[in-house]
Amino acid sequence: MQAAGPDDPSHVGPFRTVALLGQGGMGRVLLGAAPDGRLVAVKRVHADLADDEGFRARFWREVDASRRVSGAYTAPVVDADPDAPAPWLASLFLPGPTLSEALEAVGVLPEETVRRLAAGLARALADVHRAGLVHRDLKPSNVLLTEDGVRVIDFGIARAAEAATRITHTGALIGSPAFMAPEQIAGGDPGPAADVFALGSTLAVACAGKPPFDGGSVPSVLHAVVHEEPDLTGVPPGLRGLIGACLAKDPALRPTPQAVTTFLGAVPGAARPWPDAVHARIAAQRAEVDRLLRAVPAGGSPRVPARPPVPVPGSPSVRVPAPPPVPPPLPQRAPRRRRRTVAAAVAAGVLVVAGAVGTATGWAADLYHLVVPEPVPTPGGVPLSEVADRHTGALPACDTVFARVKTPAGFSPRPVLDTPSRVTPHEGRRSSQCEWATRSGDRIHVTWDQYDGAGGRTGAERAKERYEDFYRRGTTPRDPSPGFVEEAAWERPGGRYCVLRGRDVNLVVFLVVQGPGLPVGRCEDVARDIGRQTMEAVKAR
């Protein structure tokens, strides 16, 4: 927490700005004081983002969601103005660290405290779901530990459970990878069970200090969530069963928030529900707020014009006194679309200097593709909507793959979740995975995802969409001639190991080669060889 800066308005709506609570790419969270003396946390969105109609629609949704679930386990909404040039939302200020901040201070929480945390979060999710919503981004940084219990905050991506419209563009990653449910990653509509999955991940972090699914990159984490079992090392035995159930891959197998509450039973009351270090942070935050309030004048005119707030139905009404005269506003900056056009023109100008657009590489191409979408290559030149599925039927079992694939010396098969015949009807996808390992810690992992034609789309179209989800310019370079699949892309997380993703018509293959004996420079050849052999095993079924 720090004093508000010179670029912050002295008022947001009726609220006098006191301090900066936090900031990020979307905006700033300010501590404000209402005319009646109440303290509020004001989330104020950057005006640039407000030019995006989709973002403004999302903010409107956050206001509505926050209002609908205001209660004992959330921060009540006081006021909001989603139509302001810089939209804002004010909720009651509740002193206390986030769970992530608390874990930085204490390391991990004892089992009794995690049970108390789990009970509060389960009650909060029950309230959210009862309101017909799904939070979709429950994680330690969205959990507040206050003097009297837990609060869930930030409904920025909450969504009505019955809604069918998509506000974000197709393919957007909405959520935090380590806390997203498998169905959320797969592009499906997350329901209340997705929040329970995030609850399991959050509780695991509170117990062990680390997420149950980890990796050196976002794609690796997403793969682990979908295909690997959670690492519950450090979770007390008394909570391992509950957290494991919350992390079930199948949403239907996860408990409801009410079932979580029943499992935990009655939680003893406590005047100080958290470890002493957490209560010390709460006291320090209160003292800092008092200091900042004394340092800021009680009155003062706004530095920027303040629009009257749009009352939020069901929230307390705050009357705004008429502001004193203010100087004429400065000229507005150009609308966002204009800026994009100018940026594209600048990028194009750079490419004229650097060389032809079609042949530009390196920094010039990177700059150009910041504003102009990068072309997506499609091997073969035939529209994927006209390509028949090449791979059909059940994928080979690992025993078959192990018998056909020759690995480097020292590797032996390693038991993993092997479900080659599993078919998820609403996804039209078969998935299987096999793994080899050495005693020294080297590992070779391969996963196949076979997509069938569904929903009027061919399996090749669906596989291509999934394959491209992993592509990141500058991070996952494409391999124009992998040899064993139609197309492939590489990733070398941290320069430590190899990840290879390939697509062959309607089949996506994912290979990980890592370990002390397989550094970058050697893991590439092993990945190609294993990829070639495993694809031969798939084709020979």
Side-chain angles (χ1 to χ4, degrees):
M1 187 183 304
Q2 63 189 61
D7 293 332
D8 290 316
S10 63
H11 286 70
V12 177
F15 305 108
R16 177 169 52 92
T17 300
V18 176
L20 174 66
L21 296 175
Q23 59 185 325
M26 294 185 182
R28 295 161 73 84
V29 181
L30 302 167
L31 177 65
D36 62 4
R38 283 180 300 171
L39 295 180
V40 295
V42 183
K43 177 186 287 188
R44 187 170 185 263
V45 176
H46 290 314
D48 286 355
L49 289 174
D51 290 341
D52 186 330
E53 291 303 320
F55 186 89
R56 192 178 285 275
R58 172 178 161 182
F59 194 82
W60 260 109
R61 186 175 62 206
E62 177 176 4
V63 171
D64 179 66
S66 300
R67 176 179 57 80
R68 289 167 65 182
V69 296
S70 287
Y73 298 96
T74 58
V77 174
V78 175
D79 209 339
D81 188 358
D83 288 324
W88 56 268
L89 166 68
S91 55
L92 192 66
F93 173 68
L94 299 168
T98 64
L99 175 59
S100 56
E101 292 169 340
L103 294 175
E104 289 176 5
V106 303
V108 297
L109 299 180
E111 180 176 352
E112 179 183 353
T113 304
V114 176
R115 285 179 172 272
R116 185 181 306 280
L117 174 70
L121 291 177
R123 291 286 188 90
L125 290 182
D127 288 347
V128 170
H129 299 164
R130 193 177 299 114
L133 296 169
V134 181
H135 189 285
R136 301 213 300 169
D137 199 25
L138 182 68
K139 57 185 178 181
S141 60
N142 283 340
V143 174
L144 274 183
L145 304 186
T146 66
E147 284 183 323
D148 62 348
V150 65
R151 298 288 195 282
V152 173
I153 60 173
D154 199 348
F155 289 81
I157 61 174
R159 180 174 176 181
E162 72 277 5
T165 59
R166 290 188 178 274
I167 292 182
T168 56
H169 63 278
T170 301
L173 185 65
I174 298 299
S176 303
F179 301 91
M180 292 172 65
E183 64 271 21
Q184 201 170 356
I185 293 171
D189 261 346
D195 283 344
V196 175
F197 189 94
L199 170 64
S201 293
T202 298
L203 296 178
V205 172
C207 290
K210 60 183 180 64
F213 303 98
D214 209 350
S217 65
V218 170
S220 298
V221 172
L222 297 177
H223 177 268
V225 171
V226 175
H227 296 291
E228 297 180 7
E229 292 303 303
D231 178 5
L232 299 183
T233 305
V235 175
L239 289 171
R240 197 168 295 163
L242 172 64
I243 293 176
C246 291
L247 296 174
K249 304 295 185 191
D250 187 344
L253 299 180
R254 296 173 206 149
T256 63
Q258 292 81 358
V260 171
T261 301
T262 300
F263 174 89
L264 293 168
V267 176
R272 292 170 63 87
W274 313 117
D276 289 342
V278 175
H279 284 282
R281 291 187 68 130
I282 295 173
Q285 193 178 68
R286 282 189 178 278
E288 181 67 4
V289 169
D290 289 341
R291 183 188 70 79
L292 291 167
L293 284 170
R294 289 194 299 269
V296 177
S301 60
R303 290 191 293 271
V304 296
R307 291 180 54 168
V310 175
V312 178
S315 65
S317 175
V318 179
R319 295 290 182 184
V320 187
V326 296
L330 294 174
Q332 295 288 325
R333 287 183 293 175
R336 194 174 186 186
R337 288 190 204 82
R338 169 65 176 254
R339 286 196 296 275
R340 286 177 177 167
T341 303
V342 171
V346 170
V350 169
L351 290 180
V352 168
V353 176
V357 171
T359 59
T361 59
W363 65 268
D366 290 341
L367 175 60
Y368 181 74
H369 288 303
L370 282 175
V371 291
V372 178
E374 183 177 2
V376 177
T378 302
V382 178
L384 295 180
S385 59
E386 301 175 9
V387 176
D389 294 349
R390 176 180 296 171
H391 304 279
T392 58
L395 290 163
C398 283
D399 287 344
T400 302
V401 175
F402 292 150
R404 290 179 175 272
V405 174
K406 183 178 181 180
T407 57
F411 279 89
S412 58
R414 176 179 174 180
V416 293
L417 180 65
D418 179 22
T419 54
S421 60
R422 179 174 178 267
V423 179
T424 310
H426 67 277
E427 291 182 355
R429 174 174 64 90
R430 295 174 172 84
S431 182
S432 180
Q433 56 182 309
C434 305
E435 190 167 302
W436 299 260
T438 66
R439 292 184 178 180
S440 60
D442 294 331
R443 170 175 171 257
I444 299 173
H445 177 99
V446 59
T447 296
W448 302 272
D449 287 314
Q450 179 178 295
Y451 292 85
D452 303 327
R457 303 172 67 209
T458 66
E461 288 179 296
R462 300 179 67 231
K464 177 68 170 177
E465 180 180 43
R466 184 61 178 152
Y467 168 76
E468 291 296 337
D469 281 346
F470 289 105
Y471 177 72
R472 300 291 184 273
R473 179 173 179 80
T475 302
T476 57
R478 298 185 189 273
D479 187 338
S481 55
F484 60 93
V485 288
E486 287 188 311
E487 57 183 336
W490 290 91
E491 183 183 7
R492 298 168 179 84
R496 294 180 291 114
Y497 61 98
C498 291
V499 177
L500 178 63
R501 299 174 185 82
R503 182 188 68 88
D504 191 66
V505 189
N506 62 313
L507 183 74
V508 176
V509 60
F510 177 95
L511 287 120
V512 178
V513 179
Q514 64 183 141
L518 295 170
V520 169
R522 184 174 176 226
C523 56
E524 291 86 350
D525 290 340
V526 175
R528 287 191 185 93
D529 184 51
I530 297 299
R532 176 184 57 78
Q533 294 187 68
T534 55
M535 284 302 296
E536 289 175 355
V538 169
K539 293 173 182 177
R541 56 185 153 153

